[in-house]
Amino acid sequence: METEEQAKNRFQSELEFVQCLANPNYLNFLAQRGYFRDKPFVNYLKYLLYWKEPEYAKFLKYPHCLHMLELLQYEHFRKELVNAQCAKFIDEQQLLHWQHYARKRTRLQQALVEQQQQHAQHQPPHSNAVPK
Amino acid sequence: MAAAAEKSTKERLLSTLDDLEVLSRELIEMLALSRNQKLPPSGEDTQVLDLLVQRDSEFHALMGRAVEQGRLQEEMISLQKEMDKRDSDIQQLQKQLKEAEHILATAVYQAKEKLKSIEKARKGSISSEEIIKYAHRISASNAVCAPLNWVPGDPRRPYPTDLEMRSGMLGHMSNLPTNGVNGHLPGDSLAAGRLPDILMPQYPWQSSDVAMGMLPPHHGNEFGPGHNKENEDDVEAMSTDTSSSSSDSD
């Protein structure tokens, strides 16, 4: 049985580790070192699935790690991660996804600005016509 | 009613009619004969007459019986009709009952499904305040949405970067063996004891990503020798602890 202090430390280290799984470069690192071929390690990844429960998930700062953790349960994914191109592809896609909302928002803002500009452009001709 | 062994009324009527016919023919023959022969009639004609009268009364009785039987037969037919009507009513009701049962069964089933989903939703319910707080937390640190002024070259990422990893608790734990134990807990000494192969920080992605422009180039220079990030050992230590609990699920 572990003491409360040990339990606290274990909680924190598992929290940090599971979030590190959000980093595809780190996953590539682990794959190339052969950790994904190690059965105890694979069991550990399965054990880490408890972070999906809401009472644990609320501590996660980088939620992408949960998706990675789910994917890591599949052997095919673990095997693929040995390739650097795979890790690079995942990284690119992850970054693009990350930027998605920001880009959408800037697009909307631009559209709004353009609309306002058009509105402003239409005003002057009318104000000239009115006195007529 | 007439038993099966007895002759039917129709047969008896017909046989009585035959008898009557025979008797009356005999009587007429006797009378014709006696007129021709002028003999004193024997007692036969009285016998024949008696038989004739008897047969006649039998005939009348049988006719009465036939009329009665006809009446009963009509009654039977009307009762049968009534029975048929009742039968069809019952069948109609049976159909309606079956339909109603079917509808109710469907309704009950759907209600049960609804209850199940209500239960499921209730189980997963979280206060909206907590969700909003969490949403704030993950958005404020730009973990799920890129900062609006992000350009390629910005070191910020949706995952913990190497720097962050090394400055966390796991990163510090791995620094133990070279720095000596500095007040950390006994659990860490297990990690300290097994640090062999992770010391080579050759991260293969460093060279291949410079061309992309998405990853900041500083990844290539960050790692000095000696300190890797993790405690895959520590992890292994944990995994050996937990493999006993999780291996049974395999």
Side-chain angles (χ1 to χ4, degrees):
Chain A
M1 280 310 299
E2 53 180 12
T3 66
E4 196 179 312
E5 188 70 35
Q6 283 175 327
K8 229 168 50 143
N9 281 344
R10 183 167 68 89
F11 176 80
Q12 196 174 344
S13 52
E14 286 183 7
L15 174 63
E16 286 186 18
F17 182 71
V18 80
Q19 288 184 108
C20 291
L21 295 178
N23 187 338
N25 302 313
Y26 181 54
L27 293 179
N28 185 32
F29 168 78
L30 288 177
Q32 294 197 336
R33 294 290 180 291
Y35 285 98
F36 292 151
R37 292 194 291 271
D38 193 21
K39 198 67 170 67
F41 191 81
V42 173
N43 290 342
Y44 183 65
L45 289 176
K46 190 164 163 185
Y47 155 76
L48 282 178
L49 283 169
Y50 74 86
W51 286 102
K52 283 171 72 174
E53 303 294 316
E55 54 268 15
Y56 286 102
K58 66 183 181 192
F59 295 106
L60 295 176
K61 193 170 143 196
Y62 298 103
H64 286 190
C65 68
L66 286 180
H67 183 63
M68 294 298 186
L69 184 62
E70 280 174 28
L71 288 176
L72 279 171
Q73 303 302 318
Y74 296 100
E75 178 161 0
H76 189 73
F77 184 69
R78 294 195 294 267
K79 282 207 174 105
E80 275 304 302
L81 273 174
V82 175
N83 299 329
Q85 294 114 322
C86 174
K88 191 162 102 158
F89 175 73
I90 295 177
D91 193 31
E92 284 170 31
Q93 293 299 311
Q94 201 179 358
L95 282 171
L96 286 171
H97 172 75
W98 185 52
Q99 294 164 0
H100 174 72
Y101 285 114
R103 264 188 268 128
K104 192 162 147 180
R105 216 189 300 168
T106 42
R107 265 207 302 267
L108 280 175
Q109 276 178 346
Q110 274 175 356
L112 188 63
V113 163
E114 277 171 31
Q115 211 181 40
Q116 282 174 346
Q117 278 178 352
Q118 277 183 356
H119 212 60
Q121 274 173 10
H122 282 150
Q123 289 294 5
H126 285 261
S127 56
N128 288 339
V130 162
K132 200 106 174 133
Chain B
M1 295 293 117
E6 288 180 16
K7 289 205 238 165
S8 72
T9 310
K10 178 173 157 185
E11 278 174 31
R12 285 165 70 182
L13 271 174
L14 285 174
S15 78
T16 314
L17 272 177
D18 285 338
D19 286 344
L20 276 176
E21 189 187 357
V22 162
L23 283 171
S24 46
R25 196 189 296 250
E26 226 179 277
L27 192 61
I28 292 173
E29 272 178 16
M30 274 173 58
L31 281 174
L33 212 57
S34 69
R35 183 142 37 104
N36 288 346
Q37 290 179 353
K38 293 214 191 302
L39 283 173
S42 53
E44 281 186 19
D45 50 352
T46 2
Q47 272 181 349
V48 172
L49 263 176
D50 282 337
L51 279 174
L52 197 60
V53 168
Q54 193 193 18
R55 287 289 178 272
D56 189 46
S57 61
E58 256 183 48
F59 181 76
H60 280 298
L62 281 173
M63 278 305 285
R65 191 165 171 166
V67 165
E68 183 74 19
Q69 281 180 345
R71 192 181 60 77
L72 284 172
Q73 181 72 12
E74 272 180 26
E75 214 173 291
M76 260 172 57
I77 289 175
S78 73
L79 282 174
Q80 182 72 24
K81 266 201 218 135
E82 186 93 8
M83 243 174 60
D84 288 339
K85 193 163 89 68
R86 294 275 191 263
D87 265 345
S88 72
D89 281 346
I90 289 176
Q91 274 188 352
Q92 185 74 5
L93 284 172
Q94 203 177 9
K95 257 191 236 158
Q96 288 180 342
L97 190 63
K98 184 104 181 64
E99 246 181 70
E101 188 226 7
H102 179 69
I103 292 175
L104 280 174
T106 320
V108 163
Y109 171 73
Q110 285 184 348
K112 281 208 189 118
E113 292 291 308
K114 191 120 208 161
L115 280 174
K116 259 193 252 172
S117 70
I118 289 175
E119 184 61 37
K120 201 164 135 187
R122 200 186 53 79
K123 233 179 13 167
S125 70
I126 304 181
S127 75
S128 54
E129 205 181 292
E130 240 187 84
I131 295 185
I132 293 176
K133 265 194 256 176
Y134 185 63
H136 261 282
R137 198 146 24 111
I138 54 181
S139 319
S141 56
N142 289 317
V144 286
C145 184
L148 292 171
N149 52 359
W150 198 89
V151 285
D154 194 322
R156 292 176 286 185
R157 288 285 181 277
Y159 43 76
T161 52
D162 308 316
L163 192 57
E164 289 176 38
M165 287 201 261
R166 269 180 297 127
S167 48
M169 179 177 141
L170 288 179
H172 285 141
M173 278 162 80
S174 75
N175 292 337
L176 271 180
T178 53
N179 299 340
V181 178
N182 45 5
H184 280 254
L185 299 169
D188 299 344
S189 58
L190 192 53
R194 320 184 324 157
L195 245 184
D197 36 66
I198 323 287
L199 295 184
M200 291 304 109
Q202 302 298 339
Y203 301 108
W205 65 85
Q206 294 168 17
S207 48
S208 53
D209 279 322
V210 181
M212 243 330 278
M214 291 282 270
L215 280 187
H218 77 253
H219 267 203
N221 310 327
E222 280 254 62
F223 300 101
H227 300 318
N228 58 335
K229 336 181 171 190
E230 283 55 38
N231 321 340
E232 282 85 11
D233 306 308
D234 191 24
V235 164
E236 272 173 65
M238 286 193 254
S239 66
T240 47
D241 281 346
T242 57
S243 63
S244 52
S245 59
S246 51
S247 61
D248 55 338
S249 56
D250 273 317

